[in-house]
Amino acid sequence: MSFEGGARKVSQRADASGFARIYQTAGDMVVYEGEEPYRLAAWPAPAAPPLTREARIQPSVLLRAANAVIDFTGRQATLAELRDWRDGDAQEGVAVHLIHGPGGQGKTRLAGHVAELWRREGWVVLAAHHRRDRSAPDAFIVPDVAAAVGVLVVVDYAERWDTADLLSLLADTQIRRGLPVRVLLLARPAGTWWQSLEYRIQRDRHLVPSLRELAPLDQDASVTRCGLFEAARDRFAELLEVLDARNIEPPLTLEGHEAYRLVLTVHMAALAAVLAHDRGQPAPGDPVRVSECLLARERDHWKAMGNSHLEMPLLTSPDAMAQVVYTATMTGRLPYADGKAALRQADIDSGHAVGQLLKDHALCYPPSTTNPSGRTPHKAESPLRAQATVLEPLYPDRLGEDFLALSTPGHTYDFPADSWAAEALARLLVPIADRGETLAEGDGVPVWTRHGLITLIEAAHRWPHLAEQLFALVASHPHLALRAGGTALASLVDLPGVEPALLEAIESVLPAHRHIELDIGIAAVSARLAKHRLATSTNPAWARTCEALAIRLSNAMLHSQALVAGNLSTQRWQQLAEADRKTWLPDFAASLSNHAVRLLKVGRQDEAISIAKQAADSFAELAEADRKTWLPDLAGSLNVYAALLAGVERQDEAVSISKQAIDLYEEVTAENGDFHRPDLASLLNNHASRLKEAGRRDEAILVSQRAVSLLESLVEVS
């Protein structure tokens, strides 16, 4: 193991299969099968403020969280709460906390401030980079934690991580020597995304996470919108060397406009006001006009870079550069080859080769070692070399989203829309195969599709004309919705104006089984469609709709909501069975069995056992009339009943019921050969566990051996 710059390098090696990689940090071993889900690096120190010349050429750099040019203010209660979380009861081990709020609320800036404060107190602060993050370091290189008081791991844009990858991160953050580890998640949403993740964290990682919504900064008693504006105005004027800035008045709409609840929007307004004052122009007040002003300065930047007197003038025209910037905002940073592919697919209206377009864009927006929030590491930091990337997006995110919207035809503002943009979304996002083109490899889905869809969905919440384009795109290519991931799919479903027909198109391509990364989005689609269908459905379709919704909600770990939907379904099936037992008893029995499991998942064990017995009795009644048809269901319901009994320490009863289930499956397997053998093996394994819990170890061993033999025979057959 070697050391460079105070950092401990991570050893890497692959096993004979080439799949398992082993990473060693601070004496702990982490093993991944296949591609590692994330990488860690030291959280960067704040970057030096841009030089006046740089800031005047491209004022938007002053808005980046990385540069932190405005002094941190307020949030004292939040800082105290985070300190209490850090120093709470769980001194050792891992603790998880979520801070959520809309983009522009100051989450990343808060995390950066916390990082600086805690570092001074001996904490090591790490940034977690997801595998899709193009700014991730080339390898794990983290500071030595031997002398650390604790370790803080910050996960920005946590809602964009795959659930499985977040769970892997939490599993990997155990440090054997007992250092406290605090994992701070930053995300825009909470809601169902967090409810599902919170349940999985508790179930799979045995941690109890906490959360806090980051309120608008002006709700802090020590902060006002006017004060925020004036502090930003004075600092921007200082950095831009603009005189008489104190004469600049805040916008008349500052106190009343909803958009100015975001500290970023206040800062954007202050910057636009200083720039307008410098040119002797009136300051914009409406937040969209503020974005227009700042985007106009971006265009001025492109024009200035094309000056023939420069050593390396741009060859790309401002109109073509606007299209490249639009593409970069949709794709996010990419490796060079993918960047070329993106520009080819976007069909930029330029006479230059894509290589020249990338070169010119890099002059305007140099690649940086940052994460998606725009943080830039200090020059003196670790020797990590960033992955070579192109198409650096326009920051901050909100300004980039406004650029997409204002460039796309359909808005009512003065900003010149580009007719090219009307078709650019489809060209960039629709899989090649769906466009009827020759498919070179894979499924033809561009690597930037997920980033583009997430960006588009976020922007569509503020821009209705983008929502219309998004709806049309998904209606024609519903598989696209799945590419966005579960959290973004749920956000899409929540957009105003989503029609049932669009949801049904998405539903038609949803996987029928559980899908850990899509279950949240699938549950959102199902919930919206159920609301529509229940308004017009009659029995038994009404009951089936509720049951299907309960299953989808349960898959997403939204167990309380699933219980409500499932209970409605069970009640309706009961009413139907009472009116016509022969026809509807099978549906009622199945619903009872499902309902018992849902009761268990919300901790209502006694009720679950009672319902499970009722389900088993109902299937027994059905089996008496048609044994061959209903025997497998009876055996399955008895297995559920036995599991519930075992869960409340009624071991002898559990063993007896479990044995009945096995005897029934023996009969089923004898008649149907291999078809039910996997189920029988599963039941045998469960029965062995119950025998062990009942203290009958010798019997348990024999049953377990039989389960293993049965599984081995199945493997041989396959």
Side-chain angles (χ1 to χ4, degrees):
M1 206 171 278
S2 62
F3 295 84
E4 292 183 22
R8 179 171 295 187
K9 275 197 172 181
V10 182
S11 62
Q12 303 183 42
R13 66 178 184 271
D15 66 5
S17 68
F19 291 111
R21 288 188 174 185
I22 301 174
Y23 298 87
Q24 184 86 25
T25 67
D28 297 312
M29 187 171 292
V30 180
V31 181
Y32 302 115
E33 295 298 327
E35 181 184 13
E36 67 267 20
Y38 68 91
R39 287 177 179 172
L40 296 174
W43 181 274
L51 300 174
T52 298
R53 178 178 175 277
E54 296 171 342
R56 292 186 73 88
I57 290 174
Q58 192 178 18
S60 64
V61 299
L62 298 175
L63 296 170
R64 294 191 180 192
N67 295 328
V69 299
I70 310 298
D71 290 339
F72 188 88
T73 187
R75 307 285 191 204
Q76 293 307 309
T78 304
L79 292 171
E81 184 177 276
L82 286 170
R83 190 175 296 277
D84 289 342
W85 164 67
R86 184 192 76 181
D87 300 332
D89 295 335
Q91 280 290 315
E92 296 184 358
V94 180
V96 183
H97 187 71
L98 167 71
I99 290 181
H100 67 97
Q105 196 77 287
K107 300 182 295 295
T108 303
R109 186 68 198 281
L110 172 66
H113 188 65
V114 168
E116 289 302 303
L117 293 176
W118 291 17
R119 271 175 172 159
R120 297 172 197 165
E121 299 174 12
W123 283 67
V124 167
V125 184
L126 305 176
H129 299 263
H130 190 256
R131 56 189 167 82
R132 283 189 297 269
D133 182 358
R134 302 296 178 182
S135 67
D138 290 341
F140 273 77
I141 305 181
V142 299
D144 189 352
V145 300
V149 174
V151 177
L152 171 65
V153 180
V154 181
V155 184
D156 209 350
Y157 292 91
E159 75 276 18
R160 300 186 182 185
W161 281 52
D162 295 338
T163 299
D165 295 341
L166 271 176
L167 294 175
S168 293
L169 171 68
L170 296 180
D172 297 344
T173 50
Q174 301 285 349
I175 295 181
R176 288 179 186 165
R177 74 183 190 88
L179 275 179
V181 177
R182 302 294 177 257
V183 180
L184 181 60
L185 307 177
L186 309 178
R188 290 188 177 187
T192 54
W193 166 76
W194 176 247
Q195 291 174 39
S196 177
L197 179 62
E198 180 184 33
Y199 181 88
R200 291 182 188 275
I201 290 173
Q202 292 182 16
R203 186 195 67 182
D204 299 346
R205 296 293 172 253
H206 309 295
L207 302 170
V208 181
S210 54
L211 82 158
R212 172 63 62 190
E213 180 179 5
L214 193 62
L217 189 52
D218 62 0
Q219 290 187 12
D220 192 312
S222 64
V223 178
T224 65
R225 292 187 190 183
C226 186
L228 288 172
F229 178 89
E230 291 173 350
R233 174 200 66 192
D234 295 346
R235 179 60 171 151
F236 291 146
E238 175 190 353
L239 291 170
L240 293 167
E241 297 183 355
V242 174
L243 302 177
D244 302 323
R246 294 186 181 275
N247 297 327
I248 303 172
E249 295 292 332
L252 296 176
T253 57
L254 183 67
E255 296 300 331
H257 202 295
E258 183 72 13
Y260 287 125
R261 289 169 59 86
L262 300 177
V263 64
L264 174 60
T265 314
V266 176
H267 287 176
M268 290 170 65
L271 179 57
V274 170
L275 294 171
H277 177 79
D278 188 44
R279 293 187 172 185
Q281 300 170 346
D286 179 82
V288 174
R289 301 296 183 189
V290 167
S291 290
E292 284 185 309
C293 173
L294 297 176
L295 292 170
R297 291 303 298 264
E298 294 294 314
R299 193 176 185 89
D300 290 345
H301 171 48
W302 309 334
K303 290 179 180 178
M305 292 292 287
N307 192 316
S308 60
H309 297 294
L310 295 176
E311 182 179 349
M312 296 180 63
L314 298 189
L315 300 181
T316 304
S317 70
D319 287 344
M321 182 56 68
Q323 295 177 4
V324 179
V325 172
Y326 182 104
T327 303
T329 304
M330 284 295 297
T331 65
R333 60 172 65 86
L334 295 170
Y336 183 76
D338 290 331
K340 290 179 69 175
L343 292 189
R344 282 195 295 266
Q345 201 153 311
D347 193 20
I348 305 296
D349 188 11
S350 168
H352 298 294
V354 293
Q356 183 64 51
L357 295 176
L358 289 174
K359 179 180 178 181
D360 284 353
H361 180 268
L363 290 174
C364 294
Y365 301 93
S368 60
T369 307
T370 63
N371 75 359
S373 62
R375 289 192 303 272
T376 306
H378 193 275
K379 292 180 181 178
E381 286 197 74
S382 75
L384 282 177
R385 181 182 60 82
Q387 298 174 0
T389 59
V390 295
L391 294 180
E392 189 77 7
L394 177 61
Y395 294 117
D397 290 347
R398 191 176 182 88
L399 187 61
E401 292 165 9
D402 286 348
F403 179 69
L404 289 179
L406 291 168
S407 299
T408 303
H411 63 80
T412 58
Y413 291 88
D414 297 334
F415 194 90
D418 188 344
S419 57
W420 165 90
E423 303 296 332
L425 290 177
R427 286 196 296 269
L428 282 167
L429 298 179
V430 174
I432 294 172
D434 290 359
R435 297 203 306 266
E437 299 178 19
T438 302
L439 193 60
E441 60 181 0
D443 58 6
V445 178
V447 297
W448 57 81
T449 296
R450 185 184 179 100
H451 182 281
L453 287 168
I454 290 173
T455 301
L456 182 57
I457 291 168
E458 291 289 348
H461 277 277
R462 294 187 293 115
W463 293 94
H465 73 294
L466 282 186
E468 291 177 7
Q469 287 223 358
L470 174 64
F471 296 158
L473 199 60
V474 173
S476 299
H477 310 280
H479 279 94
L480 273 180
L482 278 60
R483 298 289 176 179
T487 307
L489 175 56
S491 182
L492 186 158
V493 169
D494 196 41
L495 282 168
V498 172
E499 296 290 340
L502 178 62
L503 298 174
E504 288 171 348
I506 296 172
E507 183 187 49
S508 69
V509 298
L510 293 176
H513 49 78
R514 304 184 73 163
H515 192 296
I516 188 173
E517 305 306 341
L518 289 176
D519 282 336
I520 279 294
I522 294 171
V525 172
S526 299
R528 285 291 297 270
L529 278 175
K531 184 177 180 180
H532 167 69
R533 289 168 177 167
L534 292 176
T536 57
S537 294
T538 57
N539 295 329
W542 197 95
R544 289 198 179 99
T545 297
C546 287
E547 189 68 39
L549 174 60
I551 291 171
R552 291 302 200 180
L553 290 169
S554 184
N555 288 348
M557 305 298 166
L558 304 174
H559 296 305
S560 295
Q561 298 174 43
L563 183 64
V564 172
N567 189 46
L568 291 173
S569 175
T570 301
Q571 290 176 354
R572 190 61 58 94
W573 287 123
Q574 183 176 11
Q575 294 169 6
L576 289 166
E578 288 172 351
D580 184 353
R581 195 164 186 83
K582 181 178 180 180
T583 302
W584 303 117
L585 182 58
D587 294 287
F588 179 44
S591 185
L592 282 170
S593 189
N594 290 337
H595 191 50
V597 174
R598 294 182 195 115
L599 284 165
L600 176 65
K601 289 181 177 178
V602 297
R604 294 161 61 175
Q605 290 178 308
D606 291 341
E607 293 175 77
I609 290 172
S610 176
I611 295 296
K613 185 178 186 306
Q614 189 179 353
D617 290 344
S618 297
F619 278 118
E621 180 181 336
L622 289 166
E624 285 181 10
D626 185 351
R627 189 171 183 81
K628 184 175 181 181
T629 299
W630 298 109
L631 215 55
D633 295 278
L634 174 57
S637 66
L638 287 171
N639 185 49
V640 171
Y641 183 31
L644 293 172
L645 289 169
V648 294
E649 307 300 326
R650 292 164 62 176
Q651 304 298 348
D652 291 338
E653 293 176 79
V655 168
S656 175
I657 299 297
S658 182
K659 181 62 169 63
Q660 292 179 43
I662 289 173
D663 290 343
L664 293 174
Y665 252 103
E666 295 273 18
E667 183 179 338
V668 171
T669 304
E671 293 184 7
N672 294 278
D674 293 334
F675 185 76
H676 289 288
R677 277 190 169 188
D679 294 321
L680 177 57
S682 177
L683 260 66
L684 286 167
N685 188 57
N686 293 338
H687 187 56
S689 297
R690 288 163 197 146
L691 285 166
K692 178 183 176 183
E693 291 164 0
R696 297 159 63 174
R697 295 180 61 87
D698 292 342
E699 294 175 75
I701 291 171
L702 292 174
V703 173
S704 181
Q705 288 174 340
R706 188 176 169 214
V708 171
S709 298
L710 186 56
L711 289 171
E712 287 176 343
S713 68
L714 289 171
V715 171
E716 291 174 2
V717 170
S718 63

